[in-house]
Amino acid sequence: MRIDQLVPLKTLREGVRESRKYAQIVSSVKAIGLVEAPAVAPNPKNAEQYFLLDGHLRIEVLKQLGVDTVECLVANDDETYTYNKRVNRLPPVQEHRMIVRAVERGVTEAVIADALGLEVGSIRARFRLLDGICDETADMLKDTNCSMRVFDMLRRMSPMRQIEAADLMIGQNNYSLIFARALLAATPEDQLAAPAKKARKNDLAGPTSQQISRMERELATLQTQVKSVEDSYGIDNLHLTFARGYVAKLLGNARIVRWLSNHRQEYLSEFQRIAEIETIGTVAAPAPQE
């Protein structure tokens, strides 16, 4: 969509364009393009406009670089306050494909590593993420945040078993390494990849029934913990989002900002940090883009 259709929900702090973080985003966009799409929501009063929910710095950088259009994640009304629960960071498969595209365009591993704030070895590992993973499995997991080590477990399985394992992870909404290990341990010999079969034959100990039972108990405990967090996540996230919005609205009043600057400077700096938070309770993204 056109960038001029986006309506920012906050004003960038004075001096942010001179910050190190802003410079990193500029460098990243120039080197490999936009890593993570901004999130927007339709303006119910104007079909030609979208509220910018996430990615204010990214959009500012694109404007500076003279870009007119951008691909965005469009959140519906129900997702306005909860989309961050699902889109906390760039999924590993999409990150892998982004790095592959950059390499195909001639961008060196060193430049990509510098743009994303990672080591060159980490870039190489991400480049090889889907080695040994069948296309169907990669497509099934392209929008999930399963870790790179989960793919290490999957590539030790045959293609058909990979698909079955991915389907089980999606059905359980569980992409943890513990679950992936349990699935690998429960995989029959004839459904393992050739190197994995050899490794299992050379492993005299192998996974015992006690080890499998322990992994199952740990998995059940983990699922219980995750469920307890999910039960309260939505309302907590909503409260925090409203609180952040209220603080941002207060800072939009020049008289309030002037009073805080004169009498409570320590409060003003903290309020500004709260108002600048773009996502509630997210994990660190692989790229420094915002």
Side-chain angles (χ1 to χ4, degrees):
M1 61 183 62
R2 300 194 318 275
I3 289 181
D4 59 14
Q5 292 180 275
L6 306 181
V7 180
L9 293 183
K10 76 168 189 177
T11 302
L12 295 180
R13 186 179 62 178
E14 184 177 354
V16 71
R17 295 171 183 81
E18 287 73 42
S19 67
R20 180 175 178 272
K21 186 174 186 180
Y22 188 85
Q24 285 180 320
I25 299 175
V26 173
S27 174
S28 175
V29 171
K30 285 182 177 179
I32 57 178
L34 198 62
V35 173
E36 190 170 3
V40 301
N43 181 350
K45 297 182 179 179
N46 188 336
E48 293 297 319
Q49 290 184 341
Y50 293 84
F51 292 121
L52 181 59
L53 302 176
D54 175 66
H56 290 75
L57 288 183
R58 278 167 272 167
I59 292 300
E60 190 63 27
V61 167
L62 293 178
K63 289 180 180 178
Q64 176 182 322
L65 297 177
V67 178
D68 297 324
T69 61
V70 61
E71 291 185 2
C72 297
L73 296 175
V74 181
N76 58 41
D77 292 340
D78 295 333
E79 294 174 326
T80 302
Y81 296 104
T82 61
Y83 74 95
N84 281 320
K85 181 180 179 181
R86 303 179 182 88
V87 189
N88 285 335
R89 67 181 182 88
L90 193 65
V93 173
Q94 294 186 25
E95 182 187 24
H96 157 81
R97 290 172 176 170
M98 176 270 296
I99 292 174
V100 170
R101 287 197 299 269
V103 171
E104 290 174 347
R105 293 203 302 264
V107 183
T108 66
E109 294 175 343
V111 171
I112 297 174
D114 182 64
L116 299 183
L118 298 171
E119 298 293 334
V120 173
S122 182
I123 294 299
R124 290 171 181 165
R126 286 165 166 77
F127 182 84
R128 297 191 300 265
L129 179 71
L130 298 183
D131 288 357
I133 304 296
C134 69
D135 294 340
E136 292 82 353
T137 301
D139 189 63
M140 293 171 69
L141 299 177
K142 65 181 180 180
D143 295 321
T144 67
N145 284 323
C146 53
S147 71
M148 294 177 61
R149 296 182 66 186
V150 168
F151 289 94
D152 291 337
M153 301 295 108
L154 291 174
R155 66 172 52 92
R156 295 169 66 180
M157 307 175 190
S158 67
M160 289 304 298
R161 179 57 177 169
Q162 288 179 15
I163 296 173
E164 291 178 359
D167 188 57
L168 286 170
M169 287 190 286
I170 294 171
Q172 293 292 321
N173 192 29
N174 188 329
Y175 307 98
S176 67
L177 180 59
I178 292 176
F179 193 24
R181 282 176 175 165
L183 292 172
L184 178 62
T187 300
E189 289 279 350
D190 60 353
Q191 294 185 31
L192 291 173
K197 290 180 182 179
K198 184 176 180 181
R200 179 172 288 189
K201 290 179 180 178
N202 293 335
D203 185 0
L204 298 180
T208 65
S209 58
Q210 290 181 341
Q211 290 174 326
I212 294 176
S213 297
R214 185 178 65 182
M215 283 191 291
E216 290 175 345
R217 290 195 300 270
E218 291 175 350
L219 175 60
T221 300
L222 178 62
Q223 289 177 319
T224 301
Q225 293 172 345
V226 171
K227 180 62 177 175
S228 65
V229 172
E230 286 183 341
D231 288 341
S232 60
Y233 180 92
I235 189 66
D236 290 344
N237 187 278
L238 182 60
H239 289 164
L240 289 172
T241 302
F242 274 121
R244 181 193 61 184
Y246 180 71
V247 170
K249 185 176 181 179
L250 288 178
L251 295 182
N253 188 315
R255 295 176 60 185
I256 293 177
V257 173
R258 191 181 309 115
W259 188 92
L260 288 172
S261 179
N262 293 331
H263 301 282
R264 290 289 188 272
Q265 290 188 358
E266 67 278 13
Y267 289 178
L268 178 59
S269 62
E270 291 301 321
F271 285 161
Q272 287 175 333
R273 290 179 183 177
I274 293 173
E276 290 174 0
I277 295 175
E278 294 195 10
T279 56
I280 301 295
T282 64
V283 298
Q289 302 202 38
E290 285 213 2

